[in-house]
Amino acid sequence: MYEVINGGVTAAKGFKAAGTSAGIKRSGKPDMAMIVSDVLCAAAGTFTSNVVKAAPVIYDRQIVTEEKYAQVVVVNSGVANACTGEEGMKACKDTARKAAEILPGIDEKAVLVASTGVIGNQIPIDKICGGIEKLAGLVSDTEEAGHEAAKAIMTTDTVSKEVAVKVVLSDGTEGIIGGMCKGSGMIHPNMCTMLSFVTTDIAIDQALLQKALREDIDTTYNMVSVDGDTSTNDTCLLLSSGLAGNSPISEENEDYALFKEALHAVNETLAKKMAADGEGCTMMFECHVVGADTEANARQLARSVISSSLTKAAMFGHDANWGRILCALGYSGVMFDPAKVTLSISSAAGDLVIVENGVSTGYSEEVATKILSETEVVCLCDMHMGEAEGKAWGCDLTHEYVSINGDYRS
Amino acid sequence: MYEVINGGVTAAKGFKAAGTSAGIKRSGKPDMAMIVSDVLCAAAGTFTSNVVKAAPVIYDRQIVTEEKYAQVVVVNSGVANACTGEEGMKACKDTARKAAEILPGIDEKAVLVASTGVIGNQIPIDKICGGIEKLAGLVSDTEEAGHEAAKAIMTTDTVSKEVAVKVVLSDGTEGIIGGMCKGSGMIHPNMCTMLSFVTTDIAIDQALLQKALREDIDTTYNMVSVDGDTSTNDTCLLLSSGLAGNSPISEENEDYALFKEALHAVNETLAKKMAADGEGCTMMFECHVVGADTEANARQLARSVISSSLTKAAMFGHDANWGRILCALGYSGVMFDPAKVTLSISSAAGDLVIVENGVSTGYSEEVATKILSETEVVCLCDMHMGEAEGKAWGCDLTHEYVSINGDYRS
C-alpha cells in the first residue's frame, strides 16, 4: 500500500535539488540539474545494455559498483558525452571534482554524473563548471526546486516528468520515494536516452536497494519503447538517504515488499510518462498481454506490439488495423497458436472485442475509431496459453517524429 | 559470370505470365497476376518466419515440401488472406482448383497461390475466379506480359520490380534466371509483405534448387528492412522449367556455383529494388559492415543500422548524425570495441571518413550533407575485428511513410 503525493526528487527527507541554464543548449533553455543529499546515500543504478556506452554511464557504473554510496548527482542536457573517447571520460572526472570543490563536505567519489543530448560532441567543461557554481547556490528541498531540476534534464521532452509516493512501513514510519526522469526519443530501454533519478528516505541495505531496482526495471522502464533505438546513455539512479527513521531494511521482509511495491509505482509512473511524451506522439498506447505461458514471453509479446512501426502508424490514424497487432505478436519470437488469440481495445471512450479465435469479430469500425481517438489506449491480447501477463507502453508514430529526428542537430 | 538482360519472369524458356484487374482493389488498378510454365517445374520456396502465417503461405509450403513440383502461380494484391482462419485456407484451395479447371493439362496440386494486401479480410473468391479466367486468356511469353504481371502484384509499391540475368554453363548452354517482386511496407523479411517470384530454364535437381534459394535469401531479401515489421505473407518462389537444354545440375559442381552466382544477382537486385521503393522513402541506404569477426555478426550489425528509426530519420534530413549509427551498432547484440570503429559515407557525390577510432574526424558537415543528399547512399562500417563482411539495405523514414500507414485501409 502506498499513496501518491506531490513532488519529485526532493520529496524524500534529506534531498535538495536545483535546475539552471548553463549555456550548453543554444536555445538558452535550462540544461543543468543537481541533486544533493544531506548525508551519504546508499546508491543503486542500472545502465544501458548498448555496447557503445556514454562516458557518464561508464563512470557511474564504476561508482555504484565499487563505492556503493553517493551524495550528489550532476546532470546536463544538450550534449550526451557519448562517443567522446578519453576526453569524454576526463569531462566526467572534472565534473565530479568541481562539484566536490564547490559543495561543502562532499567527496569527489560521491558524485554521480549523467548526460543526455547529441552523441559525438565533447562536453563544454567550462560551462559545466559554471553551471555547478550556479546550482550550488540554488539547491533547495522545496517541491519547486525538484520541479526546476526535472525541467532542466529535458531534451525533446515536451513535459517534465515527476512522481512521489508515501508508504507506511511495519514500524509505523512514513517513508517516501520520489523521482524524475526524461526520455522522448532514442527510447527503447534495455535499460533509453532515458535518464531517471529516484530518491528515497527509507533506510535500506545497499545490496537490497540495487536488487530491488534491478528487478523492477524489467517491468517498468524496459517495457517502454518510442522508436526501438536503445540509447548509449540510459541510466537509472536510486539514492537512499535513510532519513525516514525506519529500522533499516536488511532482509527481504515485509518492509522490503512494501518498498518494492512503492518503488514499482514510482518507476511505472515515470516509465508511462516517457511513453506518453514520446517524440512527436499524440497518444500513449499500452499493450497488456494476458494468458501467456511465462511472464518473460508475455513481456516479449507486449513489447513487440508497441514497437511495431506499422501498429504505431495505425494508432496515429485511429485505425483498428488489428492485423498489424497480430503480425507483431507473430514475429516477436514467442510461439503461440494464432487461432486462439483474442484482442480487445479500450480507452475512456469504451471497450470492444475486435478479434476472437484469431479472426475478426465483425466489430463496428466506427466504434473502434472512437475508442482509438483517445490519448490513452489499451490493447488487451489474450493468448489463451497460461496465466502469465505483461505490459508494455509505447506511442503513435507521427509526421512530427520524422520532423524532430530529420532535423535534430540543427 | 552472368550478364543482366531485359525482362523478368518470362525471360527464361517455358514461362508465360499476365496481369489484370479483377476488381479486388477499389481503385480498379491491376490486382491479379499469373505465371504459367509450359512444363512441370522443380519448385523451391522460402516463407515468412512469422508465427502468424497467411493462408497462402501455409498452402504453398505444403506444396513445395510435399509435391516439390509446380506449374502455375496465381497471385492477388489488395487482400493478404492472413488471419482468415478456415475460410482463408479454403480460398487457396478454390483458387488452385479454378486454375486447374481453366488451364489445359494442369493438376490442382501444381498450382501455387500468393496474396498481399490488408490483413484480416476474406478473399473475394468470385472475383479471384473471374480473374483467373481473364488471366488464362492473356498469358504470354513476351517481356511485356512479364511486366504486366509485375505491375499487378504491387500494393503501396510505386514502381514494379523485375530483373533477369543470362549465364553460360560449362557445356556452353545459355541459361536464364528472371524474377519479379513486390514489397514496400511491412518489410523486414525473415523471409517480408515481400512476394518474390523467380523463374529459370536451367535444369537443376529440386533439392539443390531449394538449397540454393534457402542459402541465398540470408544475404539478399533477409537483409532488407523498411520498417522492422516481418510480414505474415513473405514468400519467395523459384521455379525451374529445365528447358535451357543444359545437362541437369545434380551435384554442387561448377554449374551449381554459376547458378548460385546468377541467382544471387537476381535476388540481390530485387531485394535492393524493394529497399529503394520503401513506403514513402526518398532514398536507399546501404550499410556495408567490414572487418567483423563472423559473417553472421556482420549481417546483424548491418541490419541493426538500416533498421534504426533514428538513423532512418537522419537520412531523411541528410544529416550525418553518426552517433545514431554507432548507437545502432551498439544495441545490435554483437560485441565489439567502439574505440576501434571507422565509419565512412559515400554516394555519387563523393566519399568521406566521418569517424575514426570511435570519435569524429572533424569532417565537413557541408560535404557530408552533400553526400547524403543523393538517392543511394552507402555507409561503410569497419569494425577492425576480423575479415568478415555483410550488407543490408534500408531507406529513410519520412512524413509520407506515416501518411501511408496512418491511413492505409481507407
Side-chain angles (χ1 to χ4, degrees):
Chain A
M1 283 295 297
Y2 58 87
E3 181 192 342
V4 176
I5 59 172
N6 289 334
V9 288
T10 55
K13 288 193 188 100
F15 293 97
K16 296 188 178 72
T20 193
S21 303
I24 299 163
K25 288 181 186 163
R26 290 186 213 170
S27 63
K29 287 187 179 164
D31 50 20
M32 276 192 76
M34 184 185 276
I35 303 170
V36 185
S37 167
D38 293 343
V39 296
L40 195 62
C41 293
T46 55
F47 304 97
T48 186
S49 62
N50 198 312
V51 169
V52 180
K53 292 179 206 306
V57 162
I58 298 168
Y59 189 86
D60 286 0
R61 199 169 53 167
Q62 188 174 352
I63 301 272
V64 169
T65 312
E66 291 174 17
E67 307 295 328
K68 300 185 200 292
Y69 292 86
Q71 197 161 352
V72 178
V73 185
V74 179
V75 193
N76 77 279
S77 55
V79 177
N81 194 9
C83 304
T84 45
E86 291 295 321
E87 193 176 337
M89 288 307 299
K90 185 170 182 301
C92 295
K93 213 174 162 54
D94 289 350
T95 301
R97 184 176 304 134
K98 179 71 181 182
E101 254 174 50
I102 298 288
L103 296 163
I106 300 289
D107 183 45
E108 185 183 325
K109 288 189 172 170
V111 180
L112 294 161
V113 296
S115 299
T116 177
V118 179
I119 298 177
N121 295 356
Q122 294 292 346
I123 284 278
I125 192 68
D126 289 353
K127 289 179 180 165
I128 295 280
C129 289
I132 290 169
E133 287 175 20
K134 286 172 75 174
L135 289 164
L138 291 168
V139 287
S140 147
D141 61 4
T142 61
E143 195 178 310
E144 186 52 29
H147 188 57
E148 292 301 319
K151 283 198 296 186
I153 63 173
M154 292 163 60
T155 54
T156 50
D157 305 64
T158 64
V159 292
S160 62
K161 301 166 186 78
E162 296 174 88
V163 67
V165 303
K166 186 167 76 182
V167 57
V168 179
L169 298 173
S170 60
D171 63 3
T173 313
E174 280 188 354
I176 289 174
I177 307 180
M180 66 178 184
C181 74
K182 63 82 53 181
S184 187
M186 202 176 269
I187 293 293
H188 186 79
N190 209 336
M191 212 20 256
C192 42
T193 294
M194 184 197 99
L195 297 181
S196 179
F197 306 99
V198 180
T199 56
T200 181
D201 46 22
I202 296 172
I204 178 169
D205 182 79
Q206 192 273 340
L208 286 181
L209 192 72
Q210 178 69 33
K211 182 169 195 278
L213 180 64
R214 175 76 257 165
E215 288 175 0
D216 197 54
I217 61 161
D218 282 339
T219 57
T220 55
Y221 306 112
N222 286 358
M223 294 308 287
V224 174
S225 183
V226 168
D227 47 20
D229 284 273
T230 301
S231 165
T232 49
N233 287 55
D234 297 340
T235 297
C236 178
L237 294 173
L238 169 59
L239 300 178
S240 160
S241 69
L243 296 177
N246 62 303
S247 45
I249 302 173
S250 57
E251 55 186 48
E252 296 184 33
N253 54 16
E254 184 190 345
D255 279 356
Y256 180 70
L258 284 168
F259 176 76
K260 276 197 76 169
E261 187 190 5
L263 178 65
H264 180 73
V266 167
N267 287 338
E268 181 176 302
T269 303
L270 292 175
K272 287 170 77 166
K273 282 175 189 266
M274 280 197 293
D277 192 30
E279 284 180 343
C281 85
T282 68
M283 54 87 76
M284 200 259 281
F285 171 42
E286 171 179 303
C287 180
H288 183 187
V289 170
V290 300
D293 51 348
T294 68
E295 277 184 27
N297 280 349
R299 290 202 295 268
Q300 196 170 328
L301 286 161
R303 194 163 166 163
S304 186
V305 171
I306 58 106
S307 300
S308 153
S309 294
L310 288 170
T311 301
K312 290 157 65 72
M315 286 295 153
F316 174 58
H318 312 310
D319 180 6
N321 202 322
W322 58 267
R324 294 176 179 175
I325 296 173
L326 212 52
C327 177
L329 292 168
Y331 64 69
S332 67
V334 174
M335 286 308 301
F336 62 91
D337 182 353
K340 287 189 179 166
V341 176
T342 305
L343 297 184
S344 44
I345 52 174
S346 62
S347 73
D351 53 80
L352 187 66
V353 179
I354 56 176
V355 170
E356 264 177 345
N357 299 320
V359 296
S360 174
T361 55
Y363 60 90
S364 152
E365 293 285 357
E366 197 186 336
V367 173
T369 294
K370 206 172 150 213
I371 291 169
L372 296 179
S373 299
E374 296 291 321
T375 54
E376 281 199 33
V377 170
V378 175
C379 176
L380 182 72
C381 309
D382 191 335
M383 313 309 291
H384 292 290
M385 295 176 78
E387 301 295 322
E389 58 184 289
K391 285 181 185 175
W393 301 278
C395 58
D396 55 344
L397 174 63
T398 68
H399 297 103
E400 191 58 21
Y401 177 87
V402 176
S403 296
I404 292 168
N405 289 299
D407 198 28
Y408 178 45
R409 299 194 308 170
S410 49
Chain B
M1 282 293 298
Y2 59 86
E3 182 192 340
V4 176
I5 60 172
N6 289 334
V9 288
T10 56
K13 287 195 188 99
F15 292 97
K16 297 187 178 70
T20 193
S21 303
I24 300 164
K25 290 181 185 163
R26 291 188 212 169
S27 63
K29 287 188 180 167
D31 50 21
M32 278 193 74
M34 185 186 276
I35 303 170
V36 184
S37 167
D38 293 343
V39 297
L40 196 61
C41 294
T46 54
F47 303 95
T48 186
S49 62
N50 198 312
V51 169
V52 180
K53 294 179 206 306
V57 161
I58 298 168
Y59 190 87
D60 286 1
R61 199 169 52 167
Q62 187 173 354
I63 301 273
V64 168
T65 312
E66 292 175 15
E67 308 294 329
K68 300 184 199 293
Y69 292 86
Q71 197 161 351
V72 178
V73 185
V74 180
V75 193
N76 77 278
S77 54
V79 177
N81 195 9
C83 304
T84 46
E86 291 294 321
E87 191 176 338
M89 288 308 298
K90 184 169 183 301
C92 296
K93 213 172 162 57
D94 290 349
T95 301
R97 184 176 304 136
K98 178 71 179 182
E101 254 172 51
I102 298 287
L103 297 162
I106 299 289
D107 183 44
E108 186 183 323
K109 289 191 170 167
V111 181
L112 293 162
V113 296
S115 299
T116 177
V118 178
I119 297 177
N121 295 355
Q122 294 292 348
I123 284 278
I125 190 69
D126 290 352
K127 289 177 180 166
I128 296 279
C129 289
I132 290 169
E133 287 176 18
K134 285 171 76 173
L135 290 164
L138 290 168
V139 288
S140 146
D141 61 4
T142 61
E143 194 178 311
E144 186 51 30
H147 187 58
E148 291 301 319
K151 283 199 295 188
I153 63 173
M154 292 163 60
T155 52
T156 49
D157 305 64
T158 65
V159 292
S160 62
K161 302 166 184 78
E162 297 174 87
V163 66
V165 303
K166 188 166 74 181
V167 58
V168 179
L169 299 173
S170 59
D171 63 3
T173 312
E174 281 188 350
I176 289 174
I177 307 178
M180 65 178 185
C181 74
K182 65 80 53 181
S184 187
M186 204 175 268
I187 294 292
H188 186 78
N190 212 335
M191 217 23 244
C192 37
T193 295
M194 183 197 97
L195 297 180
S196 179
F197 306 99
V198 180
T199 56
T200 181
D201 46 22
I202 296 170
I204 178 167
D205 181 78
Q206 192 273 342
L208 286 180
L209 193 71
Q210 179 68 35
K211 182 170 196 277
L213 180 63
R214 177 77 255 166
E215 288 175 4
D216 198 53
I217 61 161
D218 281 339
T219 57
T220 55
Y221 305 112
N222 286 356
M223 295 307 288
V224 174
S225 183
V226 168
D227 47 23
D229 284 273
T230 301
S231 165
T232 49
N233 288 54
D234 298 340
T235 297
C236 179
L237 295 173
L238 169 58
L239 299 178
S240 160
S241 70
L243 296 177
N246 62 303
S247 46
I249 302 172
S250 56
E251 56 186 50
E252 296 186 32
N253 54 18
E254 185 189 345
D255 279 358
Y256 180 71
L258 284 167
F259 176 75
K260 276 197 77 169
E261 186 189 5
L263 178 65
H264 181 72
V266 167
N267 286 339
E268 181 175 303
T269 303
L270 292 175
K272 288 170 76 167
K273 281 176 190 268
M274 280 196 294
D277 192 29
E279 283 180 342
C281 85
T282 68
M283 55 86 77
M284 200 259 281
F285 170 44
E286 172 179 304
C287 180
H288 184 187
V289 169
V290 299
D293 52 349
T294 68
E295 276 184 27
N297 280 349
R299 289 201 296 268
Q300 196 170 329
L301 287 161
R303 196 164 165 162
S304 186
V305 171
I306 58 106
S307 299
S308 153
S309 293
L310 288 169
T311 301
K312 289 157 66 72
M315 287 293 151
F316 174 58
H318 313 309
D319 179 6
N321 201 324
W322 59 266
R324 294 176 178 178
I325 296 174
L326 211 52
C327 177
L329 292 169
Y331 65 68
S332 67
V334 174
M335 288 306 301
F336 61 92
D337 183 353
K340 287 189 177 166
V341 176
T342 306
L343 298 184
S344 43
I345 52 174
S346 63
S347 73
D351 54 81
L352 187 67
V353 179
I354 56 176
V355 170
E356 263 176 345
N357 299 321
V359 296
S360 173
T361 55
Y363 61 89
S364 153
E365 292 283 356
E366 197 185 337
V367 172
T369 293
K370 207 171 149 213
I371 290 170
L372 296 179
S373 300
E374 296 290 321
T375 54
E376 283 198 33
V377 170
V378 175
C379 175
L380 183 71
C381 309
D382 192 336
M383 312 310 291
H384 293 289
M385 295 177 79
E387 301 294 322
E389 58 184 290
K391 285 181 185 175
W393 301 278
C395 58
D396 55 344
L397 174 62
T398 68
H399 297 102
E400 191 57 21
Y401 177 86
V402 176
S403 296
I404 292 169
N405 290 299
D407 198 28
Y408 177 45
R409 299 195 307 172
S410 48

